[in-house]
Amino acid sequence: MQNVLIVGGGKGGKVILKILSESARFRVAGIVDLNPQAEGIRLAKNMGFQTGNNWRVFSGPHVDIIIEVTGDEQVFHEIVAACTGRIVIPGSVAYLIAKLLEEKEALIRKLESETKKHALILQSTAEGMTVIDKNGRII
């Protein structure tokens, strides 16, 4: 299991926190933001994760991956310079991953809905039938 530090507790940090908290491969070591009322910080506190306002305090050797989602390029460069030998993921890559995972979840929900619809159709008939959707297509 890899320990992950999230730097930036705004909207992006909140999304990354949700994704990582559901993973069996990653453990959130903490989430930091200068604003103690940031969305991600509040969520992390409710979920029982450590929070703070200084990434350096959390960036010890136990942290394997640091995801920087502050949007401040200077912060990213400071983290890269200070945390050699560790994986540092910029916010743009984290955003891309988050969007791909959201898309995957939407596709899974659609597939589940279609599966339920097909099961309902098959369970409700004892004889063969043709089903037409609202657009006139045979489904």
Side-chain angles (χ1 to χ4, degrees), residues 7 23 27 29-30 34 36 49-50 54 59 79 85 88 95 103 108:
V7 179
S23 173
R27 182 178 107 31
L34 294 175
F49 292 110
Q50 291 186 351
N54 185 344
S59 66
I79 294 170
V88 181
Y95 177 79
E103 187 176 303
I108 288 171

Side-chain angles (χ1 to χ4, degrees), residues 30-46:
I31 179 169
V32 297
D33 197 288
L34 294 175
N35 177 5
Q37 296 302 314
E39 296 177 49
I41 297 293
R42 289 195 319 257
L43 177 62
K45 286 179 180 177
N46 289 338

Side-chain angles (χ1 to χ4, degrees), residues 29-122:
I31 179 169
V32 297
D33 197 288
L34 294 175
N35 177 5
Q37 296 302 314
E39 296 177 49
I41 297 293
R42 289 195 319 257
L43 177 62
K45 286 179 180 177
N46 289 338
M47 296 173 80
F49 292 110
Q50 291 186 351
T51 63
N53 61 6
N54 185 344
W55 63 265
R56 294 179 197 285
V57 172
F58 288 85
S59 66
H62 67 285
V63 172
D64 304 300
I65 301 170
I66 301 170
I67 302 176
E68 189 281 325
V69 287
T70 65
D72 185 334
E73 198 169 315
Q74 182 178 345
V75 172
F76 175 75
H77 291 298
E78 287 175 13
I79 294 170
V80 168
C83 299
T84 56
R86 283 181 265 171
I87 299 169
V88 181
I89 300 173
S92 57
V93 174
Y95 177 79
L96 173 67
I97 292 168
K99 286 298 177 188
L100 289 172
L101 288 171
E102 285 176 7
E103 187 176 303
K104 179 190 98 173
E105 292 297 320
L107 289 171
I108 288 171
R109 285 191 299 276
K110 183 176 180 181
L111 179 60
E112 288 172 343
S113 174
E114 290 293 317
T115 301
K116 287 178 185 175
K117 182 171 50 172
H118 291 151
L120 182 62
I121 291 169
L122 292 174

